[in-house]
Structure formats: C-alpha cells, structure tokens
Amino acid sequence: MKPIFPATYSSLCPLALTTFLAERYPLSMIRCTFLVRGVGDTYLVDSSQGRFILRIYRSTHRNLLHVQAEVALLLALKQAGVSVSYPITDLMEETIQQLQAVEGTRYAVLFSYAPGEPARILSSSQLSTFGHEMARFHQVSSTIVLPGERWLFDFNTTLYKPLERLKSAFDYDQDSYLWLQKAARQIETKISKIDTADFSIGYCHFDLLPKNMHFEGNSVTFFDFDFMGYGWLVYDLASFWQHLAIEVYAGRMTKQAFDDAYSIVLEGYQACHPISEHELALIPYLSLNFWLFYMGFHTTHDQFYSFIQPSQLRVYTGFLRHLVQAYWN
C-alpha cells in the first residue's frame, strides 16, 4: 500500500467533523458546512441546540500557545459581559481540540454564533454601540494577563519586520518601497516627540472592521480575534478609522459622513474608556502600521500570494500615498 503523500495544508472533511463534534459536544442533529478558507478554516455548524462556528487553525499560522491566549481572552470578555463570540466547552470541559490532519496536528475551537449580520455602512446608533462596546472590551483587555503567547504590536512588528518581508515583492517598484521606508521613519520621528507613557496598553483585536462584527438591530457582537496581540489600544480605533478613510477614497462615503461617523464612534468610546489627545492625533499615522503589518503577513502564507503581486501592491500603496497626503500633517 502506498503511503499518503505529504501535504502542507489540508481541508478537513465536513462529514468527519460532524462525527467528531457529535462525540465531543452535547449536540445532536449536527450539520457541518465549510464556509471559508483564510488564515484558518471556518465551518458553520447547525444543530438542534443552535448554530455555532468551528474554527480550525492552520498549523503554520497558530500554535497551541497562540490558541490558548485567544481562548483565555474571549472567556474573560464573556465573563465581563462584553459581547463576543466565545469558545464552547465540550463534554470534558475542554475548549481546544486537537485534530490529526495530513500535515500534522491542527487545533480547533467551537465558538458561539454571533447573531445578526455584518453591516458595511453603520447607522448612527450602530456606530455609537460599536464605540462603546470596543471601549468595554478595552477595559477588560487592559487589566488582564493571559496564559499562552501572543505577539507585541510595536515598531518592529508593525513597521520594520513587515518592510523586510516585503522587500523582494517590491523589486519591480523600488520607488514605492523607498517611499514606504520614508513613511515609516516619519512615524517614528512623529512618535519620538510625544510622551506615550499615558497611552492605554492591553490586548488589541487589531482587525476591528465591519466584516468582523455582526449587528442584530443596534446590538453588536465581535468575533475573529485571530490577530489579537498586545500593544497600544488605540490601534483598534486606527483600524476602524482607516476603514472609513477607504470608504471616502473609494467614493462610497463623503468626507462629511466620514467625520460624522468617526465622531460618533469616539463619543461612544469615550463614554466608557478614556483616550488622550496624543493618542487620537496619532491615529492617521498608525493606520500605516496596520497596513504594513497585514501586507507583511501576506508574504508568509502561500494562500495570500495574489495579495503581493505587483498589481495588488500598486493598489495598496496608492491608497497609502493618498492617506499620507490627505491626513498627515
């Protein structure tokens, strides 16, 4: 009999996962459906007990310590009453499963389903709720120490390491690469002149975009904490700010609507958690850190190869040049 040919990344069979879930969880009449392949694989789980999400982490992307930290944060947020999709415990009171795939051990977590649906354009009430719930999340994440392991969001991980990884991808366009290096130095110079000692620090979501939250009326539920890490909490506001800036850049939102939406989010946030004027002033600059972090990540996994092709990088750098010209002093 021929041995199974080695694989670097496999897709696990939904039927086999249905059997696995029935053995491990107090669920019946289970139907497991593959939803999306990303930095991990996501399956929709329907059962007599309700709807859930099964996330199976890619072995080259998240190790056990990474998953343990994510689970611990979400359980702490759930206990504090923050509206998040949270891990479900199995019959043995475990939250993390180990699956032996072709490529080796993969870890899996069953999550509660976030009710409602995503909304690309948020109403005033939804914007206020979003800002307030983000602040409640930060109140918890700034006061806990998690087991496991997550990365630190700093200049090295959000500027300089990503630039190193992207160097070969910009062989075709050295001018744009030199521009990115110059912009990174501008950020470092800008921040060096500010006393950051009073900046709020804690665990950030680092991807708080409309695609990662569901609204049911004006109630919001956050999910997909896969990129969570430790750093300035203002990074989460910066991630949403740059989303609004993209909407203006693409012509889907006016500058006035951008200003109004951002003000509502800040008002909702500040009603629950303080933020300094220095932090707010840096948000347009930290948006470049957000983009470089993810552009650098795209170089580390084959499934994102299309994102670092010249045509796509021109799109990214075109927006970033606009962001610097329009919003930096």
Side-chain angles (χ1 to χ4, degrees):
M1 182 177 178
K2 292 183 179 180
I4 297 175
F5 200 86
T8 57
Y9 184 25
S10 64
S11 296
L12 304 190
C13 172
L15 290 177
L17 289 171
T18 296
T19 301
F20 177 84
L21 292 170
E23 293 172 349
R24 297 296 180 98
Y25 293 87
L27 303 177
S28 59
M29 301 294 291
I30 301 170
R31 184 178 64 187
C32 187
T33 306
F34 180 79
L35 283 184
V36 64
R37 177 178 292 107
V39 293
D41 296 335
T42 303
Y43 295 78
L44 175 64
V45 178
D46 286 299
S47 73
S48 297
Q49 288 72 29
R51 176 168 280 188
F52 304 89
I53 289 293
L54 178 65
R55 167 64 69 87
I56 301 177
Y57 298 84
R58 187 168 178 174
S59 57
T60 56
H61 175 52
R62 291 288 178 266
N63 61 34
L64 179 57
L65 292 176
H66 293 146
V67 180
Q68 287 174 336
E70 180 182 346
V71 165
L73 174 63
L74 290 170
L75 290 176
L77 292 173
K78 175 181 180 290
Q79 185 175 8
V82 180
S83 186
V84 295
S85 170
Y86 54 86
I88 304 297
T89 55
D90 65 11
L91 293 167
M92 301 299 292
E93 297 297 317
E94 298 291 339
T95 54
I96 302 173
Q97 309 297 335
Q98 293 189 30
L99 303 171
Q100 295 306 315
V102 175
E103 67 269 33
T105 300
R106 294 182 65 177
Y107 298 100
V109 177
L110 186 67
F111 291 95
S112 64
Y113 188 83
E117 58 186 12
R120 186 174 61 82
I121 302 298
L122 307 184
S123 69
S124 296
S125 296
Q126 289 172 332
L127 288 165
S128 180
T129 298
F130 164 64
H132 188 264
E133 201 65 17
M134 186 200 311
R136 294 185 67 237
F137 154 43
H138 286 169
Q139 279 187 321
V140 177
S141 72
S142 62
T143 58
I144 60 176
V145 178
L146 300 178
E149 174 185 301
R150 298 303 287 204
W151 50 71
L152 177 68
F153 292 123
D154 56 17
F155 285 164
N156 192 39
T157 57
T158 64
L159 291 178
Y160 298 119
K161 275 190 176 180
L163 281 170
E164 289 174 12
R165 290 172 176 162
L166 287 164
K167 186 174 183 178
S168 62
F170 277 95
D171 282 345
Y172 78 99
D173 186 1
Q174 282 296 297
D175 286 344
S176 289
Y177 186 73
L178 291 173
W179 180 86
L180 287 172
Q181 288 181 310
K182 179 183 176 181
R185 289 193 296 270
Q186 284 181 262
I187 291 173
E188 188 170 19
T189 300
K190 177 81 173 179
I191 295 177
S192 69
K193 298 176 181 179
I194 296 173
D195 182 5
T196 61
D198 63 341
F199 280 25
S200 295
I201 299 176
Y203 294 98
C204 311
H205 185 288
F206 212 76
D207 200 14
L208 269 182
L209 307 177
K211 67 184 179 70
N212 290 327
M213 60 189 84
H214 278 179
F215 279 92
E216 190 173 46
N218 292 327
S219 298
V220 67
T221 302
F222 298 147
F223 55 87
D224 196 357
F225 282 69
D226 192 53
F227 282 100
M228 58 155 284
Y230 194 81
W232 290 336
L233 297 179
V234 70
Y235 275 121
D236 280 340
L237 279 167
S239 68
F240 190 75
W241 180 93
Q242 66 80 36
H243 159 73
L244 295 176
I246 289 175
E247 294 296 288
V248 175
Y249 180 68
R252 295 186 293 263
M253 175 181 281
T254 66
K255 181 61 168 59
Q256 184 61 55
F258 166 97
D259 292 338
D260 292 343
Y262 183 52
S263 295
I264 293 170
V265 170
L266 282 184
E267 184 177 356
Y269 186 93
Q270 291 174 304
C272 187
H273 194 270
I275 185 167
S276 69
E277 290 300 318
H278 283 154
E279 288 169 286
L280 292 176
L282 281 183
I283 283 177
Y285 297 85
L286 295 179
S287 295
L288 181 70
N289 300 55
F290 173 88
W291 273 89
L292 282 177
F293 174 84
Y294 280 105
M295 289 168 68
F297 175 77
H298 291 157
T299 69
T300 66
H301 284 73
D302 52 14
Q303 71 208 71
F304 299 112
Y305 185 67
S306 62
F307 291 174
I308 57 170
Q309 296 307 295
S311 60
Q312 190 63 53
L313 289 178
R314 278 193 290 270
V315 173
Y316 294 156
T317 54
F319 168 67
L320 292 174
R321 286 177 184 270
H322 164 78
L323 187 151
V324 169
Q325 183 178 5
Y327 299 102
W328 289 19
N329 295 328

